[in-house]
């Protein structure tokens, strides 16, 4: 079918209707940071806190997506860009469903994060920067990936031989070397409350 014959359908139940029913504003909490900076840990803990408050959420996590939807993609620059683009489109669909979406991907390039930000409504994208120093991440090294990267067994590893471009104006910045899990979670929840994403 020709591309111009594909049209976006407007359904009877809108995003606004779904958000109202769920008593929350849809949002994408985009966690970005080095490997072992705490993205999965904090995103998981924030999701649990939101769930306990009665909110509707969905967490998209790095490795899980690469097992399925993006299993055809590798770690070249081109594939990393496509990986984030697809995740962004998927997050947008979940947000359209009225959910608070949490994503935990290194997403090292500013232009990719900008691309996702531009896909959704202006106040829907909440960039959560895990500002944990590389030295701390490397010391944690829960999966031994930094060790492998240092030995040259993994190429293009972010922070070692591939760049991480830190956000310039993230909505929330967390340094897990300085605050524990519950403090980081509280900081994210506070942002959601003050920006009227949740009212609980
Ligand atoms: P990422 O998803 O960024 O790769 P993970 O959450 O998988 O990071 O790993 C972070 C590691 O750091 C975990 O082993 C976690 O237990 C540990 N950690 C120690 N202190 C903190 C903290 N304050 N916040 C988050 N993680 C922490």
């Amino acid at each position: 079918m020709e591309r111009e014959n594909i049209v976006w359908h407007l359904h009877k139940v809108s995003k606004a209707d779904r958000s109202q029913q769920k008593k929350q504003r849809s949002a994408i909490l985009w966690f970005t940071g080095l490997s072992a900076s705490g993205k999965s840990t904090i995103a998981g803990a924030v999701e649990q806190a939101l769930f306990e408050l009665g909110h509707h959420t969905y967490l998209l996590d790095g490795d899980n997506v690469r097992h399925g939807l993006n299993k055809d993609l590798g770690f070249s620059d081109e594939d990393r860009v496509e990986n984030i683009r697809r995740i962004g489109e998927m997050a947008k669909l979940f947000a359209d469903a009225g959910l608070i979406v949490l994503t935990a991907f290194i997403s090292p390039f500013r232009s990719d994060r900008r691309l996702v930000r531009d896909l959704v409504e202006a106040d829907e994208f909440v960039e959560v920067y895990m500002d944990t120093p590389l030295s701390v991440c490397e010391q944690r090294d829960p999966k031994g990936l930094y060790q492998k990267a240092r030995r040259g067994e993994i190429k293009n590893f972010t922070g070692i031989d591939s760049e991480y471009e830190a956000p310039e104006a993230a909505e929330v910045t967390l340094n897990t070397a300085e605050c524990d899990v519950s403090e980081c979670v509280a900081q994210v929840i506070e942002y959601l409350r003050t920006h009227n994403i949740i009212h609980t």
Side-chain angles (χ1 to χ4, degrees):
M1 198 198 294
E2 296 294 326
R3 233 185 143 68
E4 62 260 31
N5 294 331
I6 302 174
V7 296
W8 184 264
H9 289 272
L10 286 172
H11 298 289
K12 291 213 168 59
V13 180
S14 69
K15 173 159 71 175
D17 296 331
R18 284 188 279 266
S19 291
Q20 206 177 10
Q21 187 186 52
K22 291 180 169 53
K23 299 184 176 59
Q24 63 188 33
R25 194 154 63 72
S26 44
I28 297 170
L29 310 185
W30 189 276
F31 289 76
T32 171
L34 296 169
S35 179
S37 61
K39 300 179 298 295
S40 291
T41 304
I42 303 299
V46 169
E47 184 180 43
Q48 194 180 355
L50 288 171
F51 187 87
E52 281 164 12
L53 288 168
H55 291 291
H56 301 258
T57 59
Y58 196 73
L59 171 59
L60 291 167
D61 201 331
D63 288 349
N64 297 358
V65 172
R66 281 190 178 273
H67 278 299
L69 181 71
N70 291 357
K71 69 177 172 192
D72 56 324
L73 301 177
F75 290 88
S76 65
D77 282 2
E78 202 181 45
D79 280 6
R80 280 179 195 259
V81 172
E82 178 60 10
N83 183 46
I84 298 301
R85 189 194 69 79
R86 287 187 202 169
I87 291 161
E89 290 287 357
M90 190 162 47
K92 181 180 174 167
L93 288 173
F94 282 119
D96 194 47
L99 300 177
I100 297 172
V101 187
L102 304 98
T103 67
F105 302 94
I106 298 175
S107 46
F109 304 129
R110 243 175 241 139
S111 55
D112 298 345
R113 299 192 301 263
R114 160 66 54 190
L115 187 142
V116 181
R117 186 184 283 273
D118 290 345
L119 272 181
V120 296
E121 288 171 39
D123 54 358
E124 222 169 32
F125 188 81
V126 179
E127 196 166 1
V128 183
Y129 171 36
M130 306 305 295
D131 188 16
T132 309
L134 173 64
S135 57
V136 174
C137 297
E138 192 163 1
Q139 211 171 6
R140 288 178 180 163
D141 206 11
K143 300 176 204 155
L145 299 177
Y146 284 97
Q147 262 193 358
K148 282 190 184 165
R150 288 286 184 200
R151 289 198 299 260
E153 290 165 24
I154 306 177
K155 297 273 178 244
N156 297 324
F157 195 75
T158 305
I160 306 298
D161 56 355
S162 183
E163 205 188 342
Y164 178 77
E165 298 173 352
E168 284 161 340
E171 278 73 11
V172 182
T173 299
L174 305 172
N175 179 347
T176 64
E178 285 170 2
C179 58
D180 65 22
V181 175
S182 62
E183 287 168 333
C184 292
V185 171
Q187 213 177 312
V188 176
I189 298 289
E190 178 61 16
Y191 180 92
L192 300 180
R193 286 190 176 126
T194 54
H195 290 77
N196 295 319
I197 292 169
I198 61 172
H199 306 281
T200 46

